[in-house]
Amino acid sequence: MIEFEKELNSAQFEAATHPQGPVLVIAGAGSGKTRTIVYRLAWLVEQGIPPESILLMTFTRKAAQEMLMRTEQILGRPLHGTSGGTFHAFAFSILRRNSAEIGFPNGFTLMDRSDCEGVIKEVKDSLGYGKKDRSYPKKATLLDMVTKSRNKEVPIDTLVNSEAFHLATYSQEMEEIGKGYSIYKKQHGLMDYDDLLFYLEDLLANDKFLRNSLRSRYQYIMVDEYQDTNLVQARIVKLLAGENGNVMAVGDDAQSIYSFRGADVSNILKFPEIFNDVKLVRLEQNYRSTQPILDLTNAILDGAEIKFDKKLFTEKTWGKKPQLMVPLSDFSQSNRILDRIVKLQKKYGPEEVAVLFRAGYQSYGLEVALKRLGVGYKKYGGLKFNEAAHIKDILAFLRLVTNPADIISWQRTLGHIKGVGPKTALKIANAVIEAESKALGKFTKKYPLLQEILTDLDGLRKKKSSPGTALEVIIPLYKPILVAAYPDDYPRREAGIEQLAQIASNYDDLEIFLADMCLDPDQHSEEEKKEDVVTLSTIHSAKGLEWNAVIIIDLVEDRFPSKKSMQKPLEYEEERRLLYVACTRAREELIMSAPASINRRNTDFSEAAIPSPFIRELDPTLFDELQESYSGGMNMKKNNPITPPVSATSASNESKKTNLKKFGLCKHKIFGKGKIIEKIEPNKVRVNFPGFGPKVIVEDYLELL
DNA sequence: TGGGTTGAAGTTTTT
DNA sequence: CTTCAACCCA
């Protein structure tokens, strides 16, 4: 018997043992959110609720697995049949069984990011857009806009006006591309991540029988990280929960960091309006970090444009102040951080140290340093295992076994035949699909390799082969192609393919294997399995995790907050929350690093770097500052001379103000070159931009020419 | 139409 | 430094 009342604090207990109806748990960072969910699961099961009637939606599959495992631990017995995973994976499993009903009689193939980009490019080209226009939005940008408009459920036009003004001239065409994209997917039996959610919603809304059967199956629904759900996810929850509404939503509005993907914080704020008689529980006591760390994280939130009514507190009143390290450059930062990692690992154990950063590439320097010293590490975020060209090649081939209409995969696969490019591949694919044996005969005669590929595909299709056996056929066929394409590093890539085969051997069903590779790309990568090593992670991928010591690197302007977010208030605020998430991962030691200079990509020279505005605005008594001396050591900066470092921005503003009187030429990041025609308020001017017309701009966003 | 070359532009986060 | 698309030649 579990003693719930003893194991949980009163708020946690209240949430975990709430008998019926909707509950909203606003759980501050480190407030025992996972613990609450786990105890709720255990409580439900102890009340006699069958485990298979519980549905647990999480942000990653890993999170779900961990929670289910912990529940089994405290229950002391296995938990059979509880469904746990991401919205996307859940949607896939339902849609797969009902594909005919949503207009995919032959099933569908799930696309990953680069497949989607390929389709977008195809549509763009077929519409004849962007010819000869070098500055036409790239396929990645186009896809971003299309999916963002879909996720936020706002027309592209509106989206462009509110957050991508520089694309204004293209919004009409982007709208068309979006339409074409959606038709293309349907025609070729393809779905992207967004489709999974929208088709699921349609299915639930229209199929009363299915809806009722799912409702009676899932009596209790729990949704973790609710602040990062989007509108359609919220509606799906509503459809699944039904009248009795046994939903528990858990989240923290201060940790919402996925709005770039369409997540909508107002979901969590509006939850009480959507369901009746919502029980609201707040978890505010922090069990993770020491008080000096919380003082700093509370201060970060204090600077927010829209205030959070939230002050985390802890009983761990002891502890070290967070540190701000100022290495001379981003290059020396790697070495100084390496020293710290080694020391911290001795103190806390090798697994208990993590280095966090804004973007995947920011850890490259450190990775080199770690390798040189032979310190093991695992990295989360950034490039994925299945984004490597050779892995994609193999997966494309496998996809043709299940979906012959997948033109993108045909082009990828047939492109390896000498003399075949996208155009010829398209013709061949059409000949195959339409079964035009005459045309096909010509092609197979001309390209012997094609005959081989087709024969293998046919064999695999007929036998309904498992992923493992399919790979046994494909690998020998692909090997010569691999060797020819990458003469210098094919052994490394071959090892990657071996690894893929290893993963595949755990699956019986090819379609499920392929979907999992998109839905959960790095669950099986070798990284996962490494033990006793330091963790390197993007902050997004570190969500929900914690370590004794956390180091955050590259806290300088343009890198964190990212350059792009500086001009957009909403994105800038999200960067702030991102830093909040990063800092609240630390239990005992928090180290922030803001190198004094960074290397710009296109120059050989380092440029002076300005510490992140989030750091500059902090009260300097909240942290200790360490500066790297020219001889290499780190010295404590004595009694923290109040460091509103006569910031470079304000200094340059001064000079701007005087120069602006001349009404000269200037440059704006979005509108390009323009001429200043009028000074309006103390810090605003009217500028005429060729092509855009006159605009009122805040001086700080202008560069004088 | 494929394949190589050239020249310019753009750099985040993820299911 | 990398990626992308236009351009040219076979």
Side-chain angles (χ1 to χ4, degrees), chain A residues 261 358 360 419 421 424 538 541 564 601:
Chain A
R261 195 173 105 177
R358 174 74 245 273
T424 318
T538 59
S541 300
K564 283 193 163 180
R601 285 247 189 130

PDB file of all heavy atoms in Angstrom, chain A residues 261 358 360 419 421 424 538 541 564 601, chain B residues 1-3 7-8 11-15:
ATOM      1  N   ARG A 261       6.390  26.521 -33.131  1.00  0.00           N
ATOM      2  CA  ARG A 261       5.802  25.351 -33.748  1.00  0.00           C
ATOM      3  C   ARG A 261       4.281  25.396 -33.629  1.00  0.00           C
ATOM      4  O   ARG A 261       3.597  24.415 -33.863  1.00  0.00           O
ATOM      5  CB  ARG A 261       6.351  24.151 -32.975  1.00  0.00           C
ATOM      6  CG  ARG A 261       6.173  22.836 -33.608  1.00  0.00           C
ATOM      7  CD  ARG A 261       6.907  21.822 -32.790  1.00  0.00           C
ATOM      8  NE  ARG A 261       6.007  21.010 -31.993  1.00  0.00           N
ATOM      9  CZ  ARG A 261       6.396  20.013 -31.222  1.00  0.00           C
ATOM     10  NH1 ARG A 261       7.673  19.733 -31.093  1.00  0.00           N
ATOM     11  NH2 ARG A 261       5.544  19.309 -30.557  1.00  0.00           N
ATOM     12  N   ARG A 358      21.679  27.041 -26.969  1.00  0.00           N
ATOM     13  CA  ARG A 358      20.507  27.459 -27.732  1.00  0.00           C
ATOM     14  C   ARG A 358      20.337  26.626 -29.007  1.00  0.00           C
ATOM     15  O   ARG A 358      19.276  26.168 -29.343  1.00  0.00           O
ATOM     16  CB  ARG A 358      20.688  28.950 -28.075  1.00  0.00           C
ATOM     17  CG  ARG A 358      19.676  29.573 -28.983  1.00  0.00           C
ATOM     18  CD  ARG A 358      18.390  29.778 -28.223  1.00  0.00           C
ATOM     19  NE  ARG A 358      17.332  28.961 -28.763  1.00  0.00           N
ATOM     20  CZ  ARG A 358      16.528  29.298 -29.756  1.00  0.00           C
ATOM     21  NH1 ARG A 358      16.649  30.447 -30.352  1.00  0.00           N
ATOM     22  NH2 ARG A 358      15.596  28.483 -30.169  1.00  0.00           N
ATOM     23  N   GLY A 360      22.021  23.679 -31.931  1.00  0.00           N
ATOM     24  CA  GLY A 360      22.854  22.493 -32.062  1.00  0.00           C
ATOM     25  C   GLY A 360      24.322  22.751 -32.369  1.00  0.00           C
ATOM     26  O   GLY A 360      25.207  22.131 -31.784  1.00  0.00           O
ATOM     27  N   GLY A 419      23.044   8.673 -64.850  1.00  0.00           N
ATOM     28  CA  GLY A 419      22.259   9.186 -65.968  1.00  0.00           C
ATOM     29  C   GLY A 419      20.797   9.429 -65.646  1.00  0.00           C
ATOM     30  O   GLY A 419      20.045   9.858 -66.508  1.00  0.00           O
ATOM     31  N   GLY A 421      18.202  11.606 -63.355  1.00  0.00           N
ATOM     32  CA  GLY A 421      18.006  12.718 -62.437  1.00  0.00           C
ATOM     33  C   GLY A 421      16.548  12.767 -62.043  1.00  0.00           C
ATOM     34  O   GLY A 421      15.808  11.827 -62.322  1.00  0.00           O
ATOM     35  N   THR A 424      13.916  12.131 -65.124  1.00  0.00           N
ATOM     36  CA  THR A 424      13.828  10.745 -65.577  1.00  0.00           C
ATOM     37  C   THR A 424      13.214   9.860 -64.493  1.00  0.00           C
ATOM     38  O   THR A 424      12.388   8.992 -64.793  1.00  0.00           O
ATOM     39  CB  THR A 424      15.227  10.213 -65.947  1.00  0.00           C
ATOM     40  OG1 THR A 424      15.912  11.228 -66.666  1.00  0.00           O
ATOM     41  CG2 THR A 424      15.137   8.968 -66.788  1.00  0.00           C
ATOM     42  N   THR A 538      20.589  20.666 -26.528  1.00  0.00           N
ATOM     43  CA  THR A 538      19.896  21.924 -26.762  1.00  0.00           C
ATOM     44  C   THR A 538      18.915  22.087 -25.606  1.00  0.00           C
ATOM     45  O   THR A 538      18.502  21.106 -24.985  1.00  0.00           O
ATOM     46  CB  THR A 538      19.085  21.904 -28.073  1.00  0.00           C
ATOM     47  OG1 THR A 538      18.133  20.854 -28.002  1.00  0.00           O
ATOM     48  CG2 THR A 538      19.973  21.715 -29.279  1.00  0.00           C
ATOM     49  N   SER A 541      15.660  20.215 -26.021  1.00  0.00           N
ATOM     50  CA  SER A 541      15.691  18.774 -25.755  1.00  0.00           C
ATOM     51  C   SER A 541      15.928  18.462 -24.280  1.00  0.00           C
ATOM     52  O   SER A 541      15.831  17.313 -23.873  1.00  0.00           O
ATOM     53  CB  SER A 541      16.786  18.095 -26.577  1.00  0.00           C
ATOM     54  OG  SER A 541      16.561  18.296 -27.936  1.00  0.00           O
ATOM     55  N   LYS A 564      17.581  36.300 -34.713  1.00  0.00           N
ATOM     56  CA  LYS A 564      16.271  36.511 -35.326  1.00  0.00           C
ATOM     57  C   LYS A 564      15.227  37.036 -34.349  1.00  0.00           C
ATOM     58  O   LYS A 564      14.302  37.725 -34.745  1.00  0.00           O
ATOM     59  CB  LYS A 564      15.764  35.190 -35.906  1.00  0.00           C
ATOM     60  CG  LYS A 564      16.412  34.822 -37.181  1.00  0.00           C
ATOM     61  CD  LYS A 564      15.629  33.690 -37.817  1.00  0.00           C
ATOM     62  CE  LYS A 564      15.986  33.568 -39.272  1.00  0.00           C
ATOM     63  NZ  LYS A 564      15.247  32.480 -39.913  1.00  0.00           N
ATOM     64  N   ARG A 601      31.042  33.491 -38.567  1.00  0.00           N
ATOM     65  CA  ARG A 601      31.224  32.429 -39.547  1.00  0.00           C
ATOM     66  C   ARG A 601      32.123  32.800 -40.715  1.00  0.00           C
ATOM     67  O   ARG A 601      32.991  32.042 -41.104  1.00  0.00           O
ATOM     68  CB  ARG A 601      29.874  32.018 -40.112  1.00  0.00           C
ATOM     69  CG  ARG A 601      29.103  31.198 -39.153  1.00  0.00           C
ATOM     70  CD  ARG A 601      28.944  29.805 -39.656  1.00  0.00           C
ATOM     71  NE  ARG A 601      28.012  29.104 -38.804  1.00  0.00           N
ATOM     72  CZ  ARG A 601      26.987  28.419 -39.263  1.00  0.00           C
ATOM     73  NH1 ARG A 601      26.790  28.337 -40.544  1.00  0.00           N
ATOM     74  NH2 ARG A 601      26.188  27.806 -38.445  1.00  0.00           N
TER      75      ARG A 601
ATOM     76  P    DT B   1      13.347  17.149 -70.130  1.00  0.00           P
ATOM     77  OP1  DT B   1      12.211  16.293 -69.889  1.00  0.00           O
ATOM     78  OP2  DT B   1      13.438  18.435 -69.438  1.00  0.00           O
ATOM     79  O5'  DT B   1      14.694  16.407 -69.788  1.00  0.00           O
ATOM     80  C5'  DT B   1      14.830  15.008 -69.726  1.00  0.00           C
ATOM     81  C4'  DT B   1      16.237  14.744 -69.281  1.00  0.00           C
ATOM     82  O4'  DT B   1      17.186  15.486 -70.084  1.00  0.00           O
ATOM     83  C3'  DT B   1      16.515  15.162 -67.837  1.00  0.00           C
ATOM     84  O3'  DT B   1      17.240  14.109 -67.253  1.00  0.00           O
ATOM     85  C2'  DT B   1      17.351  16.419 -67.960  1.00  0.00           C
ATOM     86  C1'  DT B   1      18.131  16.116 -69.238  1.00  0.00           C
ATOM     87  N1   DT B   1      18.629  17.320 -69.955  1.00  0.00           N
ATOM     88  C2   DT B   1      19.925  17.299 -70.441  1.00  0.00           C
ATOM     89  O2   DT B   1      20.660  16.345 -70.302  1.00  0.00           O
ATOM     90  N3   DT B   1      20.314  18.438 -71.090  1.00  0.00           N
ATOM     91  C4   DT B   1      19.554  19.568 -71.313  1.00  0.00           C
ATOM     92  O4   DT B   1      20.012  20.525 -71.918  1.00  0.00           O
ATOM     93  C5   DT B   1      18.222  19.516 -70.786  1.00  0.00           C
ATOM     94  C7   DT B   1      17.303  20.688 -70.957  1.00  0.00           C
ATOM     95  C6   DT B   1      17.810  18.422 -70.141  1.00  0.00           C
ATOM     96  P    DG B   2      17.300  13.841 -65.774  1.00  0.00           P
ATOM     97  OP1  DG B   2      16.626  12.571 -65.567  1.00  0.00           O
ATOM     98  OP2  DG B   2      16.894  15.051 -65.070  1.00  0.00           O
ATOM     99  O5'  DG B   2      18.867  13.627 -65.583  1.00  0.00           O
ATOM    100  C5'  DG B   2      19.609  13.388 -66.749  1.00  0.00           C
ATOM    101  C4'  DG B   2      21.075  13.271 -66.481  1.00  0.00           C
ATOM    102  O4'  DG B   2      21.726  14.346 -67.197  1.00  0.00           O
ATOM    103  C3'  DG B   2      21.597  13.393 -65.066  1.00  0.00           C
ATOM    104  O3'  DG B   2      22.804  12.668 -65.041  1.00  0.00           O
ATOM    105  C2'  DG B   2      21.805  14.890 -64.902  1.00  0.00           C
ATOM    106  C1'  DG B   2      22.251  15.301 -66.301  1.00  0.00           C
ATOM    107  N9   DG B   2      21.763  16.600 -66.750  1.00  0.00           N
ATOM    108  C8   DG B   2      20.526  17.153 -66.559  1.00  0.00           C
ATOM    109  N7   DG B   2      20.393  18.332 -67.115  1.00  0.00           N
ATOM    110  C5   DG B   2      21.630  18.559 -67.710  1.00  0.00           C
ATOM    111  C6   DG B   2      22.087  19.676 -68.453  1.00  0.00           C
ATOM    112  O6   DG B   2      21.477  20.700 -68.743  1.00  0.00           O
ATOM    113  N1   DG B   2      23.419  19.510 -68.874  1.00  0.00           N
ATOM    114  C2   DG B   2      24.172  18.403 -68.617  1.00  0.00           C
ATOM    115  N2   DG B   2      25.410  18.424 -69.086  1.00  0.00           N
ATOM    116  N3   DG B   2      23.756  17.352 -67.919  1.00  0.00           N
ATOM    117  C4   DG B   2      22.481  17.510 -67.498  1.00  0.00           C
ATOM    118  P    DG B   3      23.649  12.481 -63.777  1.00  0.00           P
ATOM    119  OP1  DG B   3      24.326  11.190 -63.908  1.00  0.00           O
ATOM    120  OP2  DG B   3      22.815  12.788 -62.601  1.00  0.00           O
ATOM    121  O5'  DG B   3      24.749  13.639 -63.930  1.00  0.00           O
ATOM    122  C5'  DG B   3      25.722  13.558 -64.982  1.00  0.00           C
ATOM    123  C4'  DG B   3      26.697  14.690 -64.803  1.00  0.00           C
ATOM    124  O4'  DG B   3      26.056  15.925 -65.251  1.00  0.00           O
ATOM    125  C3'  DG B   3      27.118  14.957 -63.356  1.00  0.00           C
ATOM    126  O3'  DG B   3      28.474  15.354 -63.362  1.00  0.00           O
ATOM    127  C2'  DG B   3      26.211  16.095 -62.924  1.00  0.00           C
ATOM    128  C1'  DG B   3      26.155  16.895 -64.219  1.00  0.00           C
ATOM    129  N9   DG B   3      25.026  17.795 -64.343  1.00  0.00           N
ATOM    130  C8   DG B   3      23.770  17.673 -63.787  1.00  0.00           C
ATOM    131  N7   DG B   3      22.974  18.663 -64.088  1.00  0.00           N
ATOM    132  C5   DG B   3      23.752  19.491 -64.893  1.00  0.00           C
ATOM    133  C6   DG B   3      23.426  20.722 -65.525  1.00  0.00           C
ATOM    134  O6   DG B   3      22.364  21.332 -65.498  1.00  0.00           O
ATOM    135  N1   DG B   3      24.505  21.228 -66.239  1.00  0.00           N
ATOM    136  C2   DG B   3      25.738  20.619 -66.339  1.00  0.00           C
ATOM    137  N2   DG B   3      26.656  21.249 -67.067  1.00  0.00           N
ATOM    138  N3   DG B   3      26.049  19.477 -65.757  1.00  0.00           N
ATOM    139  C4   DG B   3      25.010  18.969 -65.049  1.00  0.00           C
ATOM    140  P    DG B   7      32.115  33.104 -60.683  1.00  0.00           P
ATOM    141  OP1  DG B   7      32.694  33.782 -61.847  1.00  0.00           O
ATOM    142  OP2  DG B   7      32.960  32.679 -59.555  1.00  0.00           O
ATOM    143  O5'  DG B   7      30.942  33.998 -60.107  1.00  0.00           O
ATOM    144  C5'  DG B   7      29.631  33.938 -60.663  1.00  0.00           C
ATOM    145  C4'  DG B   7      28.635  34.073 -59.529  1.00  0.00           C
ATOM    146  O4'  DG B   7      28.347  32.782 -58.945  1.00  0.00           O
ATOM    147  C3'  DG B   7      29.129  34.955 -58.372  1.00  0.00           C
ATOM    148  O3'  DG B   7      28.058  35.753 -57.970  1.00  0.00           O
ATOM    149  C2'  DG B   7      29.492  33.950 -57.295  1.00  0.00           C
ATOM    150  C1'  DG B   7      28.410  32.912 -57.525  1.00  0.00           C
ATOM    151  N9   DG B   7      28.670  31.594 -56.950  1.00  0.00           N
ATOM    152  C8   DG B   7      29.881  30.947 -56.808  1.00  0.00           C
ATOM    153  N7   DG B   7      29.765  29.769 -56.238  1.00  0.00           N
ATOM    154  C5   DG B   7      28.403  29.639 -56.006  1.00  0.00           C
ATOM    155  C6   DG B   7      27.677  28.572 -55.414  1.00  0.00           C
ATOM    156  O6   DG B   7      28.107  27.505 -54.975  1.00  0.00           O
ATOM    157  N1   DG B   7      26.318  28.855 -55.365  1.00  0.00           N
ATOM    158  C2   DG B   7      25.732  30.006 -55.820  1.00  0.00           C
ATOM    159  N2   DG B   7      24.397  30.099 -55.685  1.00  0.00           N
ATOM    160  N3   DG B   7      26.392  30.995 -56.372  1.00  0.00           N
ATOM    161  C4   DG B   7      27.720  30.751 -56.430  1.00  0.00           C
ATOM    162  P    DA B   8      28.354  37.083 -57.165  1.00  0.00           P
ATOM    163  OP1  DA B   8      28.413  38.172 -58.148  1.00  0.00           O
ATOM    164  OP2  DA B   8      29.456  36.878 -56.191  1.00  0.00           O
ATOM    165  O5'  DA B   8      26.995  37.221 -56.344  1.00  0.00           O
ATOM    166  C5'  DA B   8      25.777  36.712 -56.889  1.00  0.00           C
ATOM    167  C4'  DA B   8      25.000  36.066 -55.781  1.00  0.00           C
ATOM    168  O4'  DA B   8      25.541  34.761 -55.492  1.00  0.00           O
ATOM    169  C3'  DA B   8      25.033  36.860 -54.475  1.00  0.00           C
ATOM    170  O3'  DA B   8      23.706  37.083 -54.065  1.00  0.00           O
ATOM    171  C2'  DA B   8      25.784  35.964 -53.508  1.00  0.00           C
ATOM    172  C1'  DA B   8      25.527  34.582 -54.080  1.00  0.00           C
ATOM    173  N9   DA B   8      26.543  33.588 -53.766  1.00  0.00           N
ATOM    174  C8   DA B   8      27.889  33.658 -53.972  1.00  0.00           C
ATOM    175  N7   DA B   8      28.557  32.597 -53.586  1.00  0.00           N
ATOM    176  C5   DA B   8      27.568  31.764 -53.083  1.00  0.00           C
ATOM    177  C6   DA B   8      27.618  30.473 -52.519  1.00  0.00           C
ATOM    178  N6   DA B   8      28.755  29.790 -52.366  1.00  0.00           N
ATOM    179  N1   DA B   8      26.457  29.920 -52.118  1.00  0.00           N
ATOM    180  C2   DA B   8      25.327  30.614 -52.277  1.00  0.00           C
ATOM    181  N3   DA B   8      25.147  31.826 -52.797  1.00  0.00           N
ATOM    182  C4   DA B   8      26.322  32.350 -53.185  1.00  0.00           C
ATOM    183  P    DT B  11      18.298  31.766 -43.070  1.00  0.00           P
ATOM    184  OP1  DT B  11      18.509  30.380 -42.760  1.00  0.00           O
ATOM    185  OP2  DT B  11      17.074  32.238 -43.745  1.00  0.00           O
ATOM    186  O5'  DT B  11      18.423  32.641 -41.755  1.00  0.00           O
ATOM    187  C5'  DT B  11      19.471  32.667 -40.776  1.00  0.00           C
ATOM    188  C4'  DT B  11      20.163  31.327 -40.566  1.00  0.00           C
ATOM    189  O4'  DT B  11      21.254  31.307 -41.511  1.00  0.00           O
ATOM    190  C3'  DT B  11      20.857  31.258 -39.204  1.00  0.00           C
ATOM    191  O3'  DT B  11      20.062  30.592 -38.206  1.00  0.00           O
ATOM    192  C2'  DT B  11      22.136  30.492 -39.476  1.00  0.00           C
ATOM    193  C1'  DT B  11      22.379  30.651 -40.949  1.00  0.00           C
ATOM    194  N1   DT B  11      23.607  31.471 -41.274  1.00  0.00           N
ATOM    195  C2   DT B  11      24.820  30.830 -41.396  1.00  0.00           C
ATOM    196  O2   DT B  11      24.948  29.634 -41.241  1.00  0.00           O
ATOM    197  N3   DT B  11      25.878  31.631 -41.714  1.00  0.00           N
ATOM    198  C4   DT B  11      25.848  32.992 -41.913  1.00  0.00           C
ATOM    199  O4   DT B  11      26.872  33.611 -42.197  1.00  0.00           O
ATOM    200  C5   DT B  11      24.545  33.594 -41.755  1.00  0.00           C
ATOM    201  C7   DT B  11      24.395  35.078 -41.936  1.00  0.00           C
ATOM    202  C6   DT B  11      23.504  32.817 -41.453  1.00  0.00           C
ATOM    203  P    DT B  12      19.572  28.983 -38.460  1.00  0.00           P
ATOM    204  OP1  DT B  12      20.797  28.234 -38.583  1.00  0.00           O
ATOM    205  OP2  DT B  12      18.415  28.684 -39.294  1.00  0.00           O
ATOM    206  O5'  DT B  12      18.979  28.887 -36.972  1.00  0.00           O
ATOM    207  C5'  DT B  12      19.712  29.054 -35.906  1.00  0.00           C
ATOM    208  C4'  DT B  12      19.377  28.085 -34.826  1.00  0.00           C
ATOM    209  O4'  DT B  12      18.446  28.722 -33.975  1.00  0.00           O
ATOM    210  C3'  DT B  12      18.729  26.764 -35.204  1.00  0.00           C
ATOM    211  O3'  DT B  12      19.140  25.809 -34.252  1.00  0.00           O
ATOM    212  C2'  DT B  12      17.248  27.027 -35.124  1.00  0.00           C
ATOM    213  C1'  DT B  12      17.162  28.133 -34.074  1.00  0.00           C
ATOM    214  N1   DT B  12      16.213  29.184 -34.474  1.00  0.00           N
ATOM    215  C2   DT B  12      15.679  29.972 -33.481  1.00  0.00           C
ATOM    216  O2   DT B  12      15.953  29.827 -32.305  1.00  0.00           O
ATOM    217  N3   DT B  12      14.817  30.923 -33.923  1.00  0.00           N
ATOM    218  C4   DT B  12      14.435  31.173 -35.224  1.00  0.00           C
ATOM    219  O4   DT B  12      13.661  32.053 -35.491  1.00  0.00           O
ATOM    220  C5   DT B  12      15.042  30.321 -36.223  1.00  0.00           C
ATOM    221  C7   DT B  12      14.708  30.505 -37.648  1.00  0.00           C
ATOM    222  C6   DT B  12      15.882  29.381 -35.793  1.00  0.00           C
ATOM    223  P    DT B  13      18.883  24.303 -34.364  1.00  0.00           P
ATOM    224  OP1  DT B  13      20.005  23.625 -33.738  1.00  0.00           O
ATOM    225  OP2  DT B  13      18.431  23.933 -35.723  1.00  0.00           O
ATOM    226  O5'  DT B  13      17.632  24.223 -33.396  1.00  0.00           O
ATOM    227  C5'  DT B  13      17.828  24.262 -31.988  1.00  0.00           C
ATOM    228  C4'  DT B  13      16.508  24.324 -31.311  1.00  0.00           C
ATOM    229  O4'  DT B  13      15.890  25.562 -31.634  1.00  0.00           O
ATOM    230  C3'  DT B  13      15.532  23.253 -31.770  1.00  0.00           C
ATOM    231  O3'  DT B  13      15.606  22.175 -30.870  1.00  0.00           O
ATOM    232  C2'  DT B  13      14.180  23.930 -31.673  1.00  0.00           C
ATOM    233  C1'  DT B  13      14.501  25.409 -31.512  1.00  0.00           C
ATOM    234  N1   DT B  13      13.895  26.275 -32.541  1.00  0.00           N
ATOM    235  C2   DT B  13      13.376  27.489 -32.155  1.00  0.00           C
ATOM    236  O2   DT B  13      13.382  27.859 -30.993  1.00  0.00           O
ATOM    237  N3   DT B  13      12.834  28.230 -33.150  1.00  0.00           N
ATOM    238  C4   DT B  13      12.769  27.905 -34.493  1.00  0.00           C
ATOM    239  O4   DT B  13      12.266  28.658 -35.284  1.00  0.00           O
ATOM    240  C5   DT B  13      13.347  26.634 -34.838  1.00  0.00           C
ATOM    241  C7   DT B  13      13.348  26.186 -36.250  1.00  0.00           C
ATOM    242  C6   DT B  13      13.873  25.886 -33.846  1.00  0.00           C
ATOM    243  P    DT B  14      15.771  20.716 -31.477  1.00  0.00           P
ATOM    244  OP1  DT B  14      16.425  19.921 -30.462  1.00  0.00           O
ATOM    245  OP2  DT B  14      16.303  20.794 -32.846  1.00  0.00           O
ATOM    246  O5'  DT B  14      14.243  20.299 -31.597  1.00  0.00           O
ATOM    247  C5'  DT B  14      13.416  20.235 -30.458  1.00  0.00           C
ATOM    248  C4'  DT B  14      12.108  19.596 -30.867  1.00  0.00           C
ATOM    249  O4'  DT B  14      11.467  20.478 -31.825  1.00  0.00           O
ATOM    250  C3'  DT B  14      12.271  18.255 -31.583  1.00  0.00           C
ATOM    251  O3'  DT B  14      11.185  17.406 -31.212  1.00  0.00           O
ATOM    252  C2'  DT B  14      12.168  18.603 -33.053  1.00  0.00           C
ATOM    253  C1'  DT B  14      11.195  19.781 -33.025  1.00  0.00           C
ATOM    254  N1   DT B  14      11.405  20.717 -34.128  1.00  0.00           N
ATOM    255  C2   DT B  14      10.306  21.255 -34.753  1.00  0.00           C
ATOM    256  O2   DT B  14       9.170  20.984 -34.408  1.00  0.00           O
ATOM    257  N3   DT B  14      10.593  22.111 -35.777  1.00  0.00           N
ATOM    258  C4   DT B  14      11.840  22.471 -36.238  1.00  0.00           C
ATOM    259  O4   DT B  14      11.972  23.244 -37.171  1.00  0.00           O
ATOM    260  C5   DT B  14      12.952  21.875 -35.536  1.00  0.00           C
ATOM    261  C7   DT B  14      14.343  22.193 -35.953  1.00  0.00           C
ATOM    262  C6   DT B  14      12.684  21.039 -34.531  1.00  0.00           C
ATOM    263  P    DT B  15      11.404  15.839 -31.210  1.00  0.00           P
ATOM    264  OP1  DT B  15      11.788  15.492 -29.841  1.00  0.00           O
ATOM    265  OP2  DT B  15      12.232  15.408 -32.346  1.00  0.00           O
ATOM    266  O5'  DT B  15       9.914  15.319 -31.461  1.00  0.00           O
ATOM    267  C5'  DT B  15       8.907  15.588 -30.508  1.00  0.00           C
ATOM    268  C4'  DT B  15       7.571  15.480 -31.205  1.00  0.00           C
ATOM    269  O4'  DT B  15       7.463  16.588 -32.117  1.00  0.00           O
ATOM    270  C3'  DT B  15       7.413  14.204 -32.048  1.00  0.00           C
ATOM    271  O3'  DT B  15       6.190  13.555 -31.675  1.00  0.00           O
ATOM    272  C2'  DT B  15       7.349  14.678 -33.483  1.00  0.00           C
ATOM    273  C1'  DT B  15       6.924  16.128 -33.338  1.00  0.00           C
ATOM    274  N1   DT B  15       7.445  17.007 -34.399  1.00  0.00           N
ATOM    275  C2   DT B  15       6.592  17.964 -34.929  1.00  0.00           C
ATOM    276  O2   DT B  15       5.445  18.079 -34.557  1.00  0.00           O
ATOM    277  N3   DT B  15       7.142  18.758 -35.901  1.00  0.00           N
ATOM    278  C4   DT B  15       8.429  18.711 -36.379  1.00  0.00           C
ATOM    279  O4   DT B  15       8.798  19.488 -37.248  1.00  0.00           O
ATOM    280  C5   DT B  15       9.280  17.707 -35.787  1.00  0.00           C
ATOM    281  C7   DT B  15      10.689  17.585 -36.237  1.00  0.00           C
ATOM    282  C6   DT B  15       8.744  16.920 -34.834  1.00  0.00           C
TER     283       DT B  15
END
